[in-house]
Structure formats: structure tokens, C-alpha cells
Amino acid sequence: MRFASIQTEKGSFLCPEPLVEISNPSLFSIKHSTMLTTPSINPSFSLDSNLQTYLSGRHLLIDELPFPIDQLHSHYLNGSILYEKGILLNKNRYCCQRCGNDDQTLFASFSCFRCKEEQCTYCRKCIIMGRVSECTPLIRWVGPARDKELSAGLAWDGTLSELQKEASQRICEAVGEPKEMLVWAVCGAGKTEILFEGIERALRLGLRVCLASPRTDVITELYPRFEKAFPKAGVAALYGGHSELTSPSSLVLSTTHQLFRFKNAFDVIVVDEVDAFPFSYDRTLKFAVDKAAVDQSTRIYLSATPSNKMKQRVRSQNLEVIHISKRFHGYPLPVPHYKWCGNWSKLLKKQRIPSVIRQWIKEKLASGRQAFLFVPTIEQLDTVYSILKENPEIDSVHSSDPDRIEKIKRFRKGEIKMLLTTTILERGVTVPKIDVGVLGSDHDVFSSNALVQIAGRAGRSVEDPYGEVVYFHFGKTSAMVSAKREIQNHNRRAGLVTRR
């Protein structure tokens, strides 16, 4: 888009090309503009409440806004909307203002129809969310804040363990304070439940809350639980393919990717599975969390397997921590056992499954229990499924599976007895009575943290607190040994006797 400079009683401001009324105007791309201030707020201007609601806390392209441009511009001229450059150029280096990308290899230029320039640079990093280029402004609300919505009301009537109560109390005390906190809790500790009272307190204070996770599966798992716990909050869930936010929800569940579309929005941000890929790898997702939070926000990080960097911050007393080494039901974590299965990779190439794994699958299906069988790669997963697909009780799922969400729902309902999967389900999915096997646990994809998380799928319900975890391997790795040792250490700290 191009803009013209227009003179008003308050000074010189921008005017989008479609709204320019003078003939032969001097038009320019916003990248050349030095007039990105907003006119002062006109208190007598009649705000559009729908626009205010839609845009508050958001950071969007014009194409993402379902409002006519003359309506947007009238709010700009009356001090409620700010046009910002989508791409900044500083000392010959580009930086995307939506995703924070400053990797110069992830920028490209093209001859632009909109700004008529031969070299209009855009960000390739976040292009899947709509193209941000030098001539496309990002728009955000800077007008009067919408009225606070007191949408509290906790409908959860469960009981917290003593450790959970202590953690919940400390979270409640942190809400409203500008601080960071790590909740380092074992898999199955009931991290979600310890958040409830803190979130209710935030909502009662009129604060806006976001629970973010790098994993779509975590968001889809948590959404119905939060919707049930906070029936008055109008909980919104944002993830790939579900990014519309048409209601002014004070409680948002979102993948960290979707936070690129927010700015200064949330008073409390909880980042679940903070160590999970891609959050641990992609620094722009950390940028997204920082950008979506208000300056004096409360940050709470949840993890069963925090990164070494985060552990170092805890050791240096730079990050407050809450330890929960015991599951909510009080039983120890299932300790994995190793089972040698021969050269599983070679056998899969011959379209064969190691006999010891075949026997395990047969026993699990005969037991009537459900089971996960983790497989290192999608290609190997497809091979295993092609061998077993004649059995209607077995199905498979991976990150590129178009039926991924539906299959996980069916597995939760017990309609699928055994689910073959990659590491996409290493966390965030809870099924009450389940055993877990890892085919090729010596593969590089299974890090120590991944193996701890996978083991954490078993024994999560009080009716079935143990469950079996088997690492099938062709040679023990340091990751396997480390994962088992960490699980045993958690049980020891909790004063529990392990079963293996």
C-alpha cells in the first residue's frame, strides 16, 4: 500500500492511497515515512466498539481486519489506531516487526504491485500468516482501553494435593506482580489444576490471561478443560487453522506461533511445555511471548523437563522455582525398563518388525489396555503401520496427518486400542489406562527429555497409577540412561519407592 501526506488542523499525517482526494498526490511506501506518530486522542470521537474489541492487543495486517479502510483511517485520525512499519531497515539489516526475525537469509525482495517499487522486501519466516513486507503496515489499537471484563468464576471442584496447594498459593501470590516463575513438576503432577486459582484471581482483577504452548495438541487437549473450569470467561483457543478471535476473551489458549498477532495484550502469560520443540529452538517464539505480554506482566513457565539454560537460571537464583516431584495421586513415576530388540532399523527396511516388539503388541492388545508405540521417524512409522494395518485396533498418527486431531479424539475415547506415533505425542496427551513402548529408543530423535516425557504418558490416573514403559533398543544410549536416572531421582526426592 502507498500513502500520501495530508495536512490537518493537528499537523501532517498519513492517508492511505484509496482515500486520497487531492489530484496528483505524492505517494510513497510506508517504509519511507517518518510520520508514524498518531494524532492525539479525540475524546468526542465516537469509537466503533466492535473495532476496539477486535483490535485491542492485536498486531495485524490490514488484510486481516474485517473493517473497511475508511473506518480504520477515521480511527487513526482520531488517535485510536497506529500504523507501524512491518519491516524495519537499520544499518542495512532487516527486522520483521511481527515475528522478530532478523536472519537476513529469511528476507527476499520482489517487484511490488502495491507500492510500485522494484525492490520491496518481505519476511519469509512468518509468511504462512500472511505476507509482511516493507510497504504493508501493521496496525494496532492505541485508543482508550476497553472496559475490564470481570469474567471470573471457577467451576472446578477437584481437590489439590498438599504440593499442589502450595504451588497454587504461590502462583496466586505472583499474579499481578511483574515476575517470572518456573513450575518444575513431574509428568502427571497436575500442572493444569494448580493454575486454576491463580487464573481466577487474575480474571477477578480484570487482567487478561494467556496460556501458550508450542504444541497444537496441548492446546486442543487443554481447551475443553479450561472451557469447563471457566464457563463465564468465553475461553478462546488459537492454533493453526483456528486463528480467529472475534470475541474479547480474557482467557486465551494459544500456540506460541499465534502470539505473533498480539502486542502488549496479556497481563499474565503461562507458557506450558516451555522446553518443547520448536519453542526451545526457535528464538522468534520467545520474541512472540515477550511481544504479547504487557511490560509489567506475570510470566509462569511450566515444564517437567526444563532446559539446562533454565536450570542454570534457577541455580543462580535468577528464576524463582516451584518443585513438584510427586504426581497428584501420590504414586511413583513409572520407571522404564530396557528391552533389547536387535537391529530394528535393518529389519524395518526389510518390512519386518522385531519379534520381541511383535510379542509386546500382541500382549497389549490381548490385555484390553490401550498402548502408545512411539517410532522415531514418519517413514519408519509408515513402515510399521503398513505391516500392522490389517488389525483394526491399531492406527497411526504423525505431524503431517490430516486426520491427526480426529484420530487422537478416537484414541481418547478408546475406539483405537494401540496408536503408533512419532514424538508429536510425547507430551500433552492424557489417556487414563495406558502402556507405552518406544521402538528404537536408541535413535537420535529420542533425547533424554523426550524419553522422560514419553514415560510420563503412563500411570497418570489414580485408578491405574503404574502402567508399563519399555524402551526397545539395539544398544543403550546415554539419553536412555539419563532419562531413567532422572525418573528415579524424582521418585527418590518425593520419598517414593520405585517399582524397578
Side-chain angles (χ1 to χ4, degrees), residues 78-126:
N78 287 280
S80 293
I81 277 180
L82 179 63
Y83 298 129
E84 292 185 318
K85 294 181 181 181
I87 303 291
L88 276 185
L89 179 61
N90 185 23
K91 296 180 180 178
N92 294 320
R93 293 185 64 82
Y94 294 106
C95 181
C96 176
Q97 298 304 290
R98 180 170 65 182
C99 73
N101 168 45
D102 60 358
D103 182 345
Q104 302 304 296
T105 65
L106 294 178
F107 290 95
S109 298
F110 68 114
S111 178
C112 181
F113 173 78
R114 289 184 170 181
C115 69
K116 317 300 181 190
E117 297 203 7
E118 288 299 316
Q119 295 289 320
C120 183
T121 299
Y122 66 96
C123 177
R124 295 193 294 121
K125 175 74 177 178
C126 59

Side-chain angles (χ1 to χ4, degrees), residues 139-382:
I139 295 179
R140 65 188 179 101
W141 184 263
V142 291
R146 62 193 178 90
D147 293 337
K148 288 186 176 181
E149 297 182 19
L150 304 181
S151 54
L154 179 59
W156 183 73
D157 58 0
T159 303
L160 297 177
S161 67
E162 288 303 313
L163 286 175
Q164 285 178 307
K165 285 179 185 175
E166 183 182 338
S168 175
Q169 179 61 34
R170 289 179 61 184
I171 289 172
C172 283
E173 292 169 358
V175 166
E177 299 293 325
K179 67 186 323 182
E180 289 182 296
M181 176 183 287
L182 167 66
V183 178
W184 184 354
V186 298
C187 299
K191 295 190 292 291
T192 302
E193 288 74 13
I194 69 171
L195 296 173
F196 285 162
E197 291 183 357
I199 290 175
E200 186 193 31
R201 172 176 161 76
L203 296 178
R204 286 193 186 282
L205 292 173
L207 304 179
R208 202 171 184 200
V209 181
C210 175
L211 188 150
S213 170
R215 300 289 183 98
T216 295
D217 301 292
V218 173
I219 298 302
T220 55
E221 163 86 10
L222 293 179
Y223 176 55
R225 296 166 66 184
F226 275 79
E227 202 175 31
K228 185 177 180 181
F230 297 96
K232 299 178 182 176
V235 183
L238 304 176
Y239 51 91
H242 294 78
S243 58
E244 287 294 317
L245 185 65
T246 55
S247 63
S249 176
S250 295
L251 179 52
V252 174
L253 309 186
S254 173
T255 57
T256 45
H257 285 86
Q258 293 295 326
L259 295 184
F260 288 139
R261 292 192 170 106
F262 289 88
K263 188 167 184 175
N264 298 334
F266 300 106
D267 306 282
V268 178
I269 285 197
V270 180
V271 184
D272 196 5
E273 309 292 355
V274 68
D275 62 298
F277 180 87
F279 191 81
S280 57
Y281 171 80
D282 187 346
R283 61 191 176 88
T284 65
L285 296 179
K286 170 76 165 50
F287 171 89
V289 171
D290 292 341
K291 181 180 151 193
V294 301
D295 289 341
Q296 299 295 307
S297 64
T298 307
R299 314 274 186 97
I300 299 169
Y301 309 115
L302 307 180
S303 179
T305 50
S307 65
N308 289 333
K309 186 176 180 180
M310 202 159 255
K311 290 176 184 175
Q312 177 58 41
R313 289 187 63 195
V314 170
R315 283 194 292 269
S316 61
Q317 298 185 330
N318 188 33
L319 178 63
E320 185 175 339
V321 64
I322 300 173
H323 283 287
I324 306 179
S325 292
K326 187 187 291 186
R327 287 184 154 180
F328 78 96
H329 52 47
Y331 291 88
L333 294 164
V335 178
H337 63 98
Y338 311 129
K339 188 164 285 189
W340 188 83
C341 65
N343 193 337
W344 55 271
S345 178
K346 188 175 180 180
L347 285 174
L348 290 183
K349 288 177 181 174
K350 295 179 179 178
Q351 301 294 304
R352 292 169 56 196
I353 296 174
S355 58
V356 66
I357 297 179
R358 270 193 178 278
Q359 183 61 32
W360 185 82
I361 292 171
K362 184 179 178 181
E363 290 173 2
K364 294 303 141 189
L365 293 177
S367 72
R369 294 170 61 81
Q370 287 183 275
F372 275 131
L373 180 62
F374 286 84
V375 181
T377 68
I378 293 177
E379 182 181 4
Q380 290 163 339
L381 178 77
D382 288 342

Side-chain angles (χ1 to χ4, degrees), residues 217-218 221-222 273 412 425-430 453 457:
D217 301 292
V218 173
E221 163 86 10
L222 293 179
E273 309 292 355
R412 284 202 185 99
L425 297 186
E426 72 182 26
R427 60 183 85 207
V429 177
T430 297
Q453 293 282 354
R457 297 310 96 204

Side-chain angles (χ1 to χ4, degrees), residues 28-58:
F28 51 86
S29 167
I30 195 171
K31 73 177 181 181
H32 300 301
S33 176
T34 57
M35 302 181 298
L36 294 182
T37 56
T38 294
S40 56
I41 291 179
N42 177 5
S44 63
F45 178 69
S46 179
L47 297 175
D48 184 305
S49 60
N50 291 327
L51 175 58
Q52 181 190 32
T53 295
Y54 196 94
L55 199 51
S56 292
R58 309 301 300 279

